[in-house]
Amino acid sequence: MKLVKTIPEVRAEVDRARSSGRSIGLVPTMGFLHEGHLSLVDRCRELAGYVVMSIYVNPLQFGPSEDFDEYPRALERDLALADERGVDLVFAPDDRELYPNELTVTVAPRRLADRLCGLSRPGHFEGVLTVVGKLFGIVQPDLAVFGQKDFQQAVLIQKMATDLDMPVSIEVAPTVREADGIAMSSRNEYLSADQRRRALSLSRGLAEAVRSFRSGERDAAKIRSGVLSTMEAAGGVEIEYVEVISAGELEPLEQVDADTVVVVAARIGTTRLIDNVRLGKPDPGLGRLG
Ligand code: AMP
């Protein structure tokens, strides 16, 4: 595995791989890798001949009062994990490499970004799409893999690639969970043991939604209130939203079907966590709970 920190080096390595006939896959991350990130690498290796992982904590997607400074970083450990998992190239730029000048152009999402996470994180998705758009421009991958864990983000990235005619196919891989059901996240690192127990209420709430769907419930309001009461029962969980939405347009629904997605966001202490499930196709960890 090779580590590079500049754009010309990425381009040289990717050109070499492409001219040897390999297709290029990209897995963008902010590092502090866990099994969720590494599952994206596995998926990418199935689909592409050459796997590029970017590791960059993107300041543009953090609000002024958010956790940019505290966000956990562990590049040496990340490199060992990525290497073990078969990544071919890691691109770990610094801020000057990616943002040498103040940007005059960004990728600003319209509808779909002003709801759910967009409500409490204004500008967040603009920051995400801008950096992902830059990474697409730098690496020029044939495909890129994102996690279902960040559902709204994955949908917006798919829309960006379609709307801006970017020649990259977007693959969305299932959420990887700890044995007890909690979705893996670099931010789980912030939780105390007590908060970690309360954080389980997100996946428990979603498992309740799956259980209810499987037993025949189709009324979105009833499914939503089951999730809310499961989450409230944990105590110490400040619920930001629980929504029952369509997978394509993120529209709130009255009736659910197998493609409907239940999305949740909550704060536990100062840590903000998100999770989601597709009712008819829960990822393995939730299916077991459900
Ligand atoms: P991050 O480092 O948090 O920006 O995440 C990088 C990529 O990993 C994004 O596409 C995330 O959706 C994905 N990801 C994060 N956590 C998980 C998880 N538990 N399961 C699957 N993918 C994940």
Side-chain angles (χ1 to χ4, degrees):
M1 186 185 80
K2 191 151 186 173
L3 166 66
V4 296
K5 299 198 167 187
T6 69
I7 294 169
E9 288 172 294
V10 179
R11 293 227 164 103
E13 293 300 324
V14 169
D15 281 352
R16 210 183 342 261
R18 205 188 296 281
S19 57
S20 75
R22 298 204 262 173
S23 60
I24 311 298
L26 173 66
V27 179
T29 80
M30 298 203 298
F32 208 72
L33 300 181
H34 51 63
E35 202 46 42
H37 299 113
L38 298 170
S39 74
L40 306 186
V41 171
D42 295 344
R43 187 76 189 116
C44 197
R45 285 182 63 198
E46 286 169 12
L47 300 170
Y50 186 80
V51 175
V52 182
M53 172 185 274
S54 60
I55 298 181
Y56 179 62
V57 184
N58 172 38
L60 220 57
Q61 70 191 66
F62 288 79
S65 61
E66 292 186 348
D67 57 344
F68 176 73
D69 291 331
E70 295 80 42
Y71 198 85
R73 293 158 169 92
L75 185 60
E76 288 307 314
R77 198 179 122 256
D78 288 350
L79 294 176
L81 289 169
D83 190 13
E84 223 170 79
R85 212 55 171 245
V87 170
D88 294 294
L89 180 71
V90 169
F91 174 44
D94 64 14
D95 295 339
R96 260 182 313 169
E97 186 67 16
L98 233 48
Y99 301 115
N101 305 303
E102 194 187 324
L103 293 176
T104 44
V105 175
T106 60
V107 182
R110 295 179 156 181
R111 61 193 183 81
L112 306 198
D114 55 3
R115 60 187 83 165
L116 306 174
C117 292
L119 283 175
S120 66
R121 305 190 72 187
H124 168 67
F125 288 116
E126 181 173 350
V128 169
L129 296 186
T130 300
V131 81
V132 171
K134 282 172 70 73
L135 290 168
F136 286 176
I138 293 164
V139 177
Q140 299 181 29
D142 299 290
L143 68 103
V145 189
F146 296 87
Q148 158 99 12
K149 154 83 179 5
D150 299 276
F151 180 67
Q152 188 176 13
Q153 167 177 292
V155 169
L156 281 164
I157 288 167
Q158 275 169 327
K159 301 269 186 207
M160 171 178 78
T162 304
D163 288 357
L164 302 185
D165 304 295
M166 294 176 166
V168 54
S169 64
I170 305 298
E171 175 75 12
V172 181
T175 302
V176 177
R177 299 176 179 280
E178 306 282 1
D180 60 7
I182 195 170
M184 288 190 183
S185 164
S186 309
R187 290 191 168 100
N188 291 348
E189 193 69 11
Y190 299 144
L191 301 170
S192 68
D194 175 59
Q195 290 175 330
R196 172 77 178 60
R197 266 192 301 280
R198 295 175 198 280
L200 259 178
S201 64
L202 279 77
S203 51
R204 292 241 165 95
L206 296 176
E208 170 56 29
V210 171
R211 194 160 31 232
S212 169
F213 178 72
R214 284 182 178 167
S215 65
E217 185 59 73
R218 295 293 179 267
D219 181 334
K222 290 203 177 121
I223 289 185
R224 181 170 180 272
S225 75
V227 177
L228 279 168
S229 49
T230 306
M231 289 176 69
E232 279 159 1
V237 178
E238 192 193 318
I239 297 171
E240 190 179 291
Y241 64 74
V242 172
E243 298 292 345
V244 178
I245 59 172
S246 61
E249 297 299 319
L250 314 182
E251 292 291 354
L253 299 171
E254 287 179 8
Q255 289 289 307
V256 305
D257 63 24
D259 284 333
T260 299
V261 179
V262 181
V263 287
V264 300
R267 258 173 226 283
I268 299 173
T270 55
T271 304
R272 183 176 179 279
L273 298 175
I274 57 173
D275 202 347
N276 69 86
V277 70
R278 190 177 291 242
L279 287 175
K281 201 171 165 237
D283 34 270
L286 266 185
R288 271 197 305 278
L289 293 177

